[in-house]
Amino acid sequence: MSASVVDPAVKAQARELLNLIDASPSPWHAVATMETRLSMHGFRRLEECERWTLRSGGRCYVVRDDSSIIAFVVGAGALAETGFRIVGAHTDSPGLRVKPNGPNRAGRMARLGVEVYGGPILATFTDRDLSLAGRITLSNESGRLDTRLVDFDRPLVRLPNLAIHMNRKVNEEGLRLDKQKELPVILSVLEESLSPRDQFLELLSERLGCAPDTILSWDLNLYDTQKGAFWGPGDTFLADSQLDNLTSCHAALVALLDDAALNAESTAVCAFFDHEEIGSQSMKGADGRFLPDILERIAFGLKVDPEGYKRALACSFLVSADMAHAWQPNFPAAYEPDHHVIVNDGPVIKVNANLRYTSESVSEAIFMHLCERVDVPCQKYSHRTDIPCGSTIGPMASAGLGIRSVDVGSPMWAMHSIRESAGALDHTYMIKVLRCFFSSDVL
Ligand code: CO
């Protein structure tokens, strides 16, 4: 395949990714979107508080607290001998979240106070057509608590830039935003009679079809309403929000739903966690019990004894999939000169001697071998030695389970911008490799 023109099958797969992102304006929506996709393919939802009985070929998924999801297909082989093939990724993206008492008055204006979630590039949130999406808990007519998803689905709030006439040095010094004073987003010009909180509750209740005074609490994410797009000659590039890391979730999901994974010997697992951007330490994060609990429950559900479960772990493998930094030629000083990663040149193996990434020579070689099997090129990334390196879910998930792991991802630009970009071809490459990972005898 040439990277200058994208063929229709590649474009269709990338289009599907953009559609998934556009239908998922918050991690809670991302899980709901993936849940719909899984149920369409015959996957059954399991509740953690119920008893599970599993059989080989069984397709199931578990959701923990609305924003982390683990889907699996029970392998045809004995679990103790064939183990788990796991792809891990994350459902959350950095951004801004509405504070509990967010609606506030500033002069004649109503604003929403926000808190920074993770490490977004704040300047990219200015002058965008922002909206709100997330989950709301309310007390319904029968006096019970009810948690519902909400999405305004149209531009609703905004963070207007200061005109250059009042910020003359913005192009020399960059846009700096004071997180406390300069991030609240504009909602409206206030009518004297209405408090900002009442106005906001009214908006929410209209959207949800409930009474304003039944709303108790919210998790609300600010998102960009601009839809995903292809760009570049031949439509080889993609732009959207949340490419980090819904790209990896989508690639893994497509691979899991392929016949090869649905009929594999090993148990194929997709584990998508919330809270990666804030360190993963939560009841549903990669540094918590979610993945170990579910793997153990799979073993129990198959009547595998404790030794059999440990044997299964010993022959398991984790591909931790998260995005990688592609080379941007305008900023050569930011990159390690001998590890330039190029968009549309294939999946990236991320290596860090201090194990901010889990890849080591053996797991690197396994992933390279998988790429070779399906004729996909691959690249290696090492961060500059003089800049601190990022991390992801791999190190925690692999340490918690004691299983071998590799950290990989598709190349992208502008990680943590509200509008990120990546390559269409890389997405197809990643799907191919993950499909082979679930089904091949390479391990
Ligand atoms: Co990420």
Side-chain angles (χ1 to χ4, degrees), residues 32-88:
T33 309
M34 293 192 272
E35 187 173 1
T36 308
R37 189 83 198 268
L38 287 162
S39 15
M40 274 164 35
H41 283 80
F43 279 68
R44 171 167 63 99
R45 178 171 172 141
L46 298 174
E47 299 301 333
E48 287 191 77
C49 51
E50 284 167 5
R51 244 175 218 288
W52 300 359
T53 310
L54 302 172
R55 49 173 180 78
S56 91
R59 307 172 185 185
C60 307
Y61 67 91
V62 189
V63 172
R64 193 177 272 191
D65 196 39
D66 304 332
S67 56
S68 290
I69 183 167
I70 295 178
F72 60 90
V73 180
V74 180
L79 184 70
E81 273 121 54
T82 53
F84 302 99
R85 302 268 174 101
I86 309 162
V87 180

Coordinates of all heavy atoms in Angstrom, one line a residue, residues 32-88:
A32 N -20.3 3.3 26.6 CA -21.6 3.0 26.1 C -21.5 2.7 24.6 O -22.2 1.7 24.1 CB -22.5 4.1 26.4
T33 N -20.7 3.4 23.9 CA -20.6 3.2 22.4 C -20.0 1.8 22.1 O -20.5 1.1 21.3 CB -19.7 4.3 21.8 OG1 -20.1 5.6 22.2 CG2 -19.7 4.2 20.3
M34 N -19.0 1.5 22.9 CA -18.3 0.2 22.7 C -19.3 -1.0 23.1 O -19.3 -2.0 22.5 CB -17.0 0.1 23.4 CG -16.0 1.1 22.8 SD -14.3 0.9 23.3 CE -14.2 1.9 24.7
E35 N -20.0 -0.7 24.2 CA -21.0 -1.7 24.7 C -22.0 -2.0 23.5 O -22.3 -3.2 23.3 CB -21.7 -1.1 25.9 CG -22.6 -2.1 26.6 CD -23.1 -1.6 27.9 OE1 -22.9 -0.5 28.3 OE2 -23.9 -2.4 28.5
T36 N -22.5 -1.0 22.9 CA -23.5 -1.2 21.8 C -22.8 -2.1 20.7 O -23.4 -3.0 20.2 CB -23.9 0.2 21.2 OG1 -24.3 1.0 22.2 CG2 -25.0 0.0 20.1
R37 N -21.6 -1.7 20.4 CA -20.9 -2.5 19.3 C -20.7 -4.0 19.7 O -20.9 -4.9 18.9 CB -19.5 -1.8 19.2 CG -18.7 -2.2 18.1 CD -19.0 -1.5 16.8 NE -18.5 -2.2 15.6 CZ -17.3 -1.9 15.1 NH1 -16.6 -0.9 15.5 NH2 -16.8 -2.7 14.1
L38 N -20.4 -4.2 21.0 CA -20.2 -5.6 21.5 C -21.5 -6.3 21.5 O -21.5 -7.5 21.0 CB -19.6 -5.5 22.9 CG -18.1 -5.1 23.0 CD1 -17.8 -4.7 24.4 CD2 -17.2 -6.3 22.5
S39 N -22.6 -5.7 21.9 CA -23.9 -6.4 21.9 C -24.3 -6.8 20.5 O -24.9 -7.8 20.3 CB -25.0 -5.8 22.8 OG -24.7 -4.5 23.0
M40 N -24.0 -5.9 19.6 CA -24.4 -6.2 18.2 C -23.7 -7.5 17.7 O -24.1 -8.1 16.8 CB -24.0 -5.0 17.3 CG -25.1 -4.0 17.2 SD -24.6 -2.4 16.5 CE -23.4 -2.9 15.3
H41 N -22.5 -7.8 18.3 CA -21.8 -9.0 17.9 C -22.0 -10.1 18.8 O -21.1 -11.0 19.0 CB -20.3 -8.6 17.8 CG -19.9 -7.9 16.5 ND1 -20.1 -6.5 16.4 CD2 -19.5 -8.3 15.4 CE1 -19.8 -6.1 15.2 NE2 -19.4 -7.2 14.5
G42 N -23.1 -10.1 19.5 CA -23.4 -11.3 20.4 C -22.7 -11.4 21.7 O -22.7 -12.4 22.3
F43 N -22.1 -10.3 22.2 CA -21.5 -10.3 23.5 C -22.6 -10.0 24.6 O -23.5 -9.2 24.4 CB -20.4 -9.2 23.6 CG -19.1 -9.6 22.9 CD1 -19.0 -9.7 21.6 CD2 -18.0 -9.8 23.7 CE1 -17.8 -10.1 21.0 CE2 -16.8 -10.1 23.1 CZ -16.7 -10.3 21.8
R44 N -22.4 -10.7 25.7 CA -23.4 -10.7 26.8 C -22.8 -9.9 27.9 O -21.6 -10.1 28.3 CB -23.6 -12.1 27.2 CG -24.4 -12.4 28.4 CD -24.8 -13.9 28.4 NE -23.7 -14.8 28.5 CZ -23.3 -15.4 29.6 NH1 -23.9 -15.2 30.8 NH2 -22.2 -16.2 29.6
R45 N -23.6 -9.0 28.5 CA -23.0 -8.2 29.7 C -23.1 -9.1 30.9 O -24.1 -9.6 31.3 CB -23.9 -6.9 29.8 CG -23.4 -6.1 31.0 CD -24.0 -4.7 31.1 NE -23.7 -4.1 32.3 CZ -23.5 -2.8 32.4 NH1 -23.5 -2.0 31.4 NH2 -23.2 -2.2 33.6
L46 N -22.0 -9.1 31.6 CA -22.0 -9.8 32.9 C -21.9 -8.8 34.0 O -21.2 -7.8 33.9 CB -20.7 -10.7 33.0 CG -20.6 -11.9 32.0 CD1 -19.2 -12.5 32.2 CD2 -21.7 -12.9 32.2
E47 N -22.6 -9.0 35.1 CA -22.6 -8.1 36.3 C -21.6 -8.8 37.3 O -21.6 -10.0 37.6 CB -24.0 -8.0 36.9 CG -25.0 -7.4 36.0 CD -24.6 -6.0 35.4 OE1 -23.9 -5.3 36.1 OE2 -25.0 -5.6 34.3
E48 N -20.8 -7.9 37.9 CA -19.8 -8.4 38.9 C -20.4 -9.0 40.1 O -19.9 -9.8 40.8 CB -18.8 -7.3 39.2 CG -17.8 -7.0 38.1 CD -16.7 -6.1 38.6 OE1 -15.8 -6.6 39.3 OE2 -16.8 -4.9 38.3
C49 N -21.7 -8.6 40.5 CA -22.3 -9.0 41.7 C -23.1 -10.4 41.4 O -23.7 -10.9 42.4 CB -23.2 -8.0 42.3 SG -24.3 -7.3 41.1
E50 N -23.1 -10.8 40.2 CA -23.8 -12.1 39.9 C -22.8 -13.3 39.8 O -21.6 -13.1 39.7 CB -24.6 -12.0 38.7 CG -25.9 -11.1 38.9 CD -26.5 -10.7 37.6 OE1 -26.1 -11.1 36.5 OE2 -27.5 -10.0 37.7
R51 N -23.3 -14.5 39.8 CA -22.5 -15.7 39.6 C -22.3 -15.9 38.1 O -23.2 -15.7 37.3 CB -23.3 -16.9 40.1 CG -22.7 -17.6 41.2 CD -23.6 -18.8 41.7 NE -23.6 -18.9 43.1 CZ -22.5 -19.4 43.7 NH1 -21.5 -19.8 43.1 NH2 -22.6 -19.4 45.1
W52 N -21.1 -16.2 37.7 CA -20.8 -16.4 36.3 C -20.6 -17.9 35.9 O -19.9 -18.6 36.7 CB -19.5 -15.7 35.8 CG -19.5 -14.2 36.0 CD1 -20.5 -13.4 36.5 CD2 -18.4 -13.4 35.7 NE1 -20.1 -12.1 36.6 CE2 -18.8 -12.0 36.1 CE3 -17.1 -13.5 35.2 CZ2 -18.0 -10.9 35.9 CZ3 -16.3 -12.5 35.0 CH2 -16.7 -11.2 35.4
T53 N -21.2 -18.3 34.8 CA -20.8 -19.6 34.3 C -20.4 -19.4 32.9 O -21.1 -18.8 32.1 CB -22.0 -20.6 34.3 OG1 -22.6 -20.5 35.6 CG2 -21.6 -22.0 34.0
L54 N -19.2 -19.9 32.6 CA -18.6 -19.6 31.2 C -18.3 -20.9 30.5 O -18.1 -21.9 31.1 CB -17.3 -18.7 31.4 CG -17.5 -17.4 32.1 CD1 -16.1 -16.8 32.4 CD2 -18.4 -16.4 31.3
R55 N -18.3 -20.7 29.2 CA -17.8 -21.9 28.4 C -17.0 -21.4 27.2 O -17.0 -20.2 26.9 CB -19.1 -22.6 27.8 CG -20.1 -21.7 27.2 CD -21.2 -22.4 26.5 NE -22.1 -21.3 26.0 CZ -21.8 -20.6 24.9 NH1 -20.8 -20.9 24.2 NH2 -22.6 -19.6 24.5
S56 N -16.3 -22.3 26.6 CA -15.3 -21.9 25.5 C -16.1 -21.3 24.4 O -17.3 -21.7 24.1 CB -14.5 -23.1 25.1 OG -15.1 -23.8 24.0
G57 N -15.6 -20.3 23.8 CA -16.3 -19.5 22.7 C -17.2 -18.5 23.3 O -17.7 -17.7 22.5
G58 N -17.5 -18.4 24.6 CA -18.4 -17.4 25.2 C -17.8 -16.0 24.9 O -16.7 -15.8 25.1
R59 N -18.8 -15.1 24.6 CA -18.4 -13.7 24.3 C -19.1 -12.9 25.4 O -20.3 -12.8 25.5 CB -18.9 -13.2 23.0 CG -18.5 -14.1 21.8 CD -19.2 -13.7 20.5 NE -18.9 -14.6 19.5 CZ -19.3 -14.4 18.2 NH1 -20.0 -13.4 17.9 NH2 -19.0 -15.3 17.3
C60 N -18.3 -12.2 26.2 CA -18.9 -11.4 27.3 C -18.1 -10.1 27.5 O -17.0 -9.9 27.0 CB -18.7 -12.3 28.6 SG -19.4 -13.9 28.5
Y61 N -18.8 -9.2 28.3 CA -18.1 -8.0 28.7 C -18.6 -7.6 30.1 O -19.7 -8.0 30.5 CB -18.2 -6.9 27.7 CG -19.6 -6.4 27.5 CD1 -20.1 -5.3 28.3 CD2 -20.5 -7.0 26.6 CE1 -21.4 -4.8 28.2 CE2 -21.8 -6.5 26.5 CZ -22.2 -5.4 27.3 OH -23.5 -4.9 27.2
V62 N -17.7 -6.8 30.8 CA -18.1 -6.3 32.1 C -17.8 -4.8 32.1 O -16.7 -4.4 31.6 CB -17.2 -7.0 33.2 CG1 -17.6 -6.6 34.6 CG2 -17.1 -8.5 33.0
V63 N -18.7 -4.0 32.7 CA -18.4 -2.6 32.8 C -18.3 -2.3 34.3 O -19.1 -2.8 35.1 CB -19.6 -1.8 32.2 CG1 -19.5 -0.3 32.5 CG2 -19.7 -2.0 30.7
R64 N -17.3 -1.5 34.7 CA -17.1 -1.1 36.1 C -17.4 0.4 36.1 O -16.6 1.2 35.5 CB -15.8 -1.5 36.7 CG -15.8 -1.4 38.2 CD -14.5 -1.9 38.8 NE -14.5 -3.3 39.1 CZ -13.6 -3.9 39.9 NH1 -12.6 -3.2 40.4 NH2 -13.6 -5.2 40.1
D65 N -18.4 0.8 36.9 CA -18.7 2.2 37.1 C -18.8 3.0 35.9 O -18.3 4.2 35.9 CB -17.7 2.8 38.2 CG -18.3 4.1 38.7 OD1 -19.5 4.2 38.9 OD2 -17.5 5.0 38.9
D66 N -19.4 2.5 34.8 CA -19.7 3.2 33.6 C -18.6 3.7 32.7 O -18.8 4.0 31.6 CB -20.5 4.5 33.9 CG -21.8 4.2 34.7 OD1 -22.3 3.1 34.6 OD2 -22.2 5.1 35.5
S67 N -17.3 3.7 33.2 CA -16.3 4.2 32.3 C -15.1 3.3 32.1 O -14.1 3.7 31.4 CB -15.8 5.6 32.8 OG -15.4 5.6 34.1
S68 N -15.1 2.1 32.6 CA -14.0 1.1 32.2 C -14.8 -0.1 31.8 O -15.8 -0.5 32.3 CB -13.2 0.8 33.4 OG -12.3 1.9 33.8
I69 N -14.2 -0.8 30.8 CA -14.9 -2.0 30.2 C -13.9 -3.1 29.9 O -12.8 -2.7 29.4 CB -15.7 -1.6 29.0 CG1 -16.5 -2.8 28.4 CG2 -14.9 -0.9 27.9 CD1 -17.6 -2.4 27.4
I70 N -14.2 -4.3 30.2 CA -13.4 -5.4 29.8 C -14.2 -6.4 29.0 O -15.3 -6.8 29.5 CB -12.7 -6.1 31.0 CG1 -11.7 -5.2 31.7 CG2 -12.0 -7.4 30.6 CD1 -11.1 -5.8 33.0
A71 N -13.8 -6.7 27.8 CA -14.6 -7.6 26.9 C -13.7 -8.8 26.6 O -12.4 -8.6 26.5 CB -14.9 -6.9 25.6
F72 N -14.3 -10.0 26.6 CA -13.4 -11.2 26.3 C -14.1 -12.2 25.6 O -15.4 -12.3 25.6 CB -12.8 -11.7 27.7 CG -13.9 -12.1 28.7 CD1 -14.4 -13.5 28.7 CD2 -14.4 -11.2 29.6 CE1 -15.3 -13.9 29.6 CE2 -15.4 -11.6 30.5 CZ -15.8 -13.0 30.5
V73 N -13.3 -13.1 24.9 CA -13.9 -14.2 24.2 C -13.1 -15.4 24.8 O -11.9 -15.5 24.8 CB -13.6 -14.2 22.7 CG1 -14.1 -15.4 22.0 CG2 -14.2 -12.9 22.1
V74 N -13.9 -16.3 25.4 CA -13.2 -17.5 26.1 C -12.6 -18.4 25.0 O -13.2 -18.7 24.0 CB -14.2 -18.3 26.9 CG1 -13.5 -19.5 27.5 CG2 -14.9 -17.4 28.0
G75 N -11.3 -18.7 25.1 CA -10.6 -19.5 24.1 C -11.0 -20.9 24.0 O -11.7 -21.4 24.9
A76 N -10.7 -21.5 22.9 CA -11.0 -22.9 22.6 C -10.1 -23.8 23.4 O -10.5 -25.0 23.8 CB -10.9 -23.2 21.1
G77 N -8.9 -23.4 23.7 CA -8.0 -24.3 24.5 C -8.2 -24.2 26.0 O -9.0 -23.4 26.5
A78 N -7.5 -25.1 26.7 CA -7.6 -25.1 28.2 C -6.9 -23.8 28.7 O -5.8 -23.5 28.3 CB -6.9 -26.3 28.7
L79 N -7.6 -23.1 29.6 CA -7.1 -21.8 30.0 C -5.7 -21.9 30.6 O -4.8 -21.0 30.3 CB -8.1 -21.1 31.0 CG -7.7 -19.7 31.5 CD1 -7.9 -18.7 30.3 CD2 -8.5 -19.3 32.7
A80 N -5.5 -22.9 31.5 CA -4.2 -23.0 32.1 C -3.1 -23.2 31.1 O -1.9 -22.8 31.4 CB -4.2 -24.2 33.1
E81 N -3.3 -23.7 30.0 CA -2.3 -23.9 29.0 C -2.2 -22.9 27.9 O -1.1 -22.7 27.3 CB -2.4 -25.3 28.3 CG -1.8 -26.4 29.1 CD -2.8 -27.5 29.5 OE1 -3.4 -28.0 28.6 OE2 -2.8 -27.8 30.7
T82 N -3.3 -22.1 27.7 CA -3.3 -21.2 26.6 C -3.3 -19.7 27.1 O -2.9 -18.8 26.3 CB -4.5 -21.4 25.6 OG1 -5.7 -21.4 26.4 CG2 -4.4 -22.7 24.9
G83 N -3.7 -19.5 28.3 CA -3.6 -18.2 28.9 C -4.5 -17.1 28.3 O -5.4 -17.4 27.6
F84 N -4.2 -15.9 28.7 CA -4.9 -14.7 28.2 C -4.1 -13.9 27.3 O -2.9 -13.7 27.5 CB -5.3 -13.8 29.4 CG -6.1 -14.4 30.5 CD1 -5.5 -14.9 31.7 CD2 -7.5 -14.5 30.4 CE1 -6.2 -15.4 32.7 CE2 -8.2 -15.1 31.4 CZ -7.6 -15.6 32.5
R85 N -4.7 -13.5 26.2 CA -4.0 -12.5 25.3 C -4.8 -11.2 25.5 O -5.9 -11.1 25.1 CB -4.1 -12.9 23.8 CG -3.6 -14.3 23.5 CD -2.1 -14.2 23.1 NE -1.5 -15.5 22.9 CZ -1.4 -16.1 21.7 NH1 -1.8 -15.5 20.6 NH2 -0.9 -17.3 21.7
I86 N -4.1 -10.2 26.1 CA -4.8 -9.0 26.6 C -4.3 -7.8 25.8 O -3.1 -7.6 25.6 CB -4.5 -8.7 28.1 CG1 -4.9 -10.0 28.9 CG2 -5.3 -7.5 28.6 CD1 -4.2 -10.0 30.3
V87 N -5.2 -7.0 25.3 CA -4.9 -5.6 24.8 C -5.4 -4.6 25.8 O -6.7 -4.6 26.0 CB -5.4 -5.4 23.4 CG1 -4.9 -3.9 22.9 CG2 -4.8 -6.4 22.4
G88 N -4.6 -3.8 26.3 CA -5.0 -2.8 27.3 C -5.0 -1.4 26.6 O -4.0 -1.1 25.9

